[in-house]
Amino acid sequence: MSSLPVPETPRRGNANWSDLRPRLISAAVLIIIAGAAIQAGGLFYGALIIAAMCGMASELATLFGTSVRSWRGVLYIAWMGCAGITALCGQWNAVPAFVMSAFIFGPPLWAGSAVIAAAGTALLWLRLCTPPGAWSVLFAIGVVVFSDSTAYITGRLVGGPKLAPRISPGKTRSGAIGGLAGALVAGIVVAALSGPADADVLLHSAVWAVVLGIVAQAGDLAESAMKRALGVKDSGRLLPGHGGLLDRFDALLAVAPVAAALSLAARPGQGFWSVGPEDMWAAVLRLTGQ
């Protein structure tokens, strides 16, 4: 596979805003639906997450040449749906069984099932099994959305050297920095709105927001690398201006499992963004039985 040529002189900006309107409309619809589900929780929220898991499994199967109308494609989608239902029913220890047994679909879909199942069940865990509930999901989503939005705007206004031209020619280093700034602001705001927060909590929330911002950008680049290797532009056409579900939620696929893992170290009643070094050390001691 040949790499794209890199311009000798980086442009200072990009005036192409043609995809902004459909992106905003799609984003508005997503915000309304997701916001209602996050607020409601329970089966409504669970059904939305499981539907998203099945939708992403459908896109992934198509990308790797498996028709969603074939028995193999239907079974693969159902496999992800069952993993989500198992988690929604509280049978967390059974979820890995669906991932491990997905090897029958071949390495690419097996790896994809691990990513989708980890992210989907993490989002279920954050909303239904952590004390902050909705705030936990809002922190993760807020970091992803603000990181993506500020990176998009900064990249087009400032331009400059490309971040990873061989993977995603449209992304710039200025956009990446702007994205981290957006993630930082989102994290602090959500932490402050979620309840009483002292200086330490806000500091920790700022640190984790930046970390998750980096994870979000890595997830975005990973999905771009996969599409580039497959020779496709978008994973689907469900969301105008965004492409498919994998295109829209690639960063969240990476962020959600990290946030869920952090929640295991949080103190009772606290959000995962409040976790400090001492909390992480205490969690390690608990896991090792010391």
Side-chain angles (χ1 to χ4, degrees):
M1 181 181 68
S2 61
S3 59
L4 291 179
V6 181
E8 296 180 1
T9 304
R11 290 182 294 179
R12 296 298 300 167
N14 189 336
N16 182 14
W17 299 85
S18 60
D19 60 344
L20 183 58
R21 182 178 179 183
R23 284 173 70 95
L24 290 176
I25 294 174
S26 297
V29 173
L30 285 174
I31 288 172
I32 293 172
I33 296 175
I38 294 170
Q39 174 64 29
L43 290 177
F44 183 21
Y45 176 80
L48 182 64
I49 295 299
I50 293 170
M53 292 173 66
C54 291
M56 287 186 282
S58 173
E59 291 181 357
L60 194 67
T62 301
L63 287 174
F64 284 97
T66 298
S67 172
V68 295
R69 296 182 180 180
S70 67
W71 69 266
R72 189 168 180 267
V74 171
L75 183 60
Y76 182 68
I77 296 170
W79 216 270
M80 286 297 92
C82 289
I85 293 172
T86 300
L88 184 60
C89 293
Q91 303 300 316
W92 303 98
N93 292 334
V95 173
F98 287 96
V99 176
M100 290 185 290
S101 57
F103 74 91
I104 61 174
F105 298 104
L109 296 186
W110 185 11
S113 70
V115 174
I116 294 171
T121 55
L123 288 170
L124 290 173
W125 171 268
L126 289 172
R127 176 62 181 91
L128 306 177
C129 299
T130 63
W135 289 109
S136 295
V137 180
L138 287 174
F139 191 103
I141 292 179
V143 165
V144 169
V145 171
F146 272 76
S147 174
D148 179 65
S149 300
T150 53
Y152 178 88
I153 294 172
T154 305
R156 276 157 177 70
L157 289 177
V158 180
K162 302 300 182 180
L163 177 64
R166 294 186 178 182
I167 297 175
S168 183
K171 291 181 174 60
T172 61
R173 296 176 187 176
S174 63
I177 295 173
L180 293 182
L184 173 65
V185 172
I188 294 176
V189 169
V190 173
L193 293 176
S194 65
D198 57 25
D200 285 341
V201 170
L202 292 179
L203 175 60
H204 294 159
S205 69
V207 171
W208 290 122
V210 172
V211 170
L212 293 181
I214 295 172
V215 172
Q217 294 187 25
D220 192 347
L221 287 174
E223 200 248 358
S224 295
M226 179 189 73
K227 291 188 298 183
R228 196 161 184 77
L230 294 173
V232 297
K233 181 179 183 296
D234 296 319
S235 65
R237 300 180 180 178
L238 181 63
L239 306 173
H242 296 283
L245 292 173
L246 289 171
D247 296 317
R248 175 64 278 182
F249 301 123
D250 48 8
L252 190 58
L253 287 174
V255 166
V258 176
L262 282 174
S263 72
L264 300 177
R267 299 178 184 181
Q270 296 293 312
F272 67 81
W273 52 86
S274 66
V275 170
E278 65 281 2
D279 300 314
M280 298 184 69
W281 179 243
V284 170
L285 294 179
R286 287 197 304 270
L287 290 174
T288 57
Q290 299 183 24

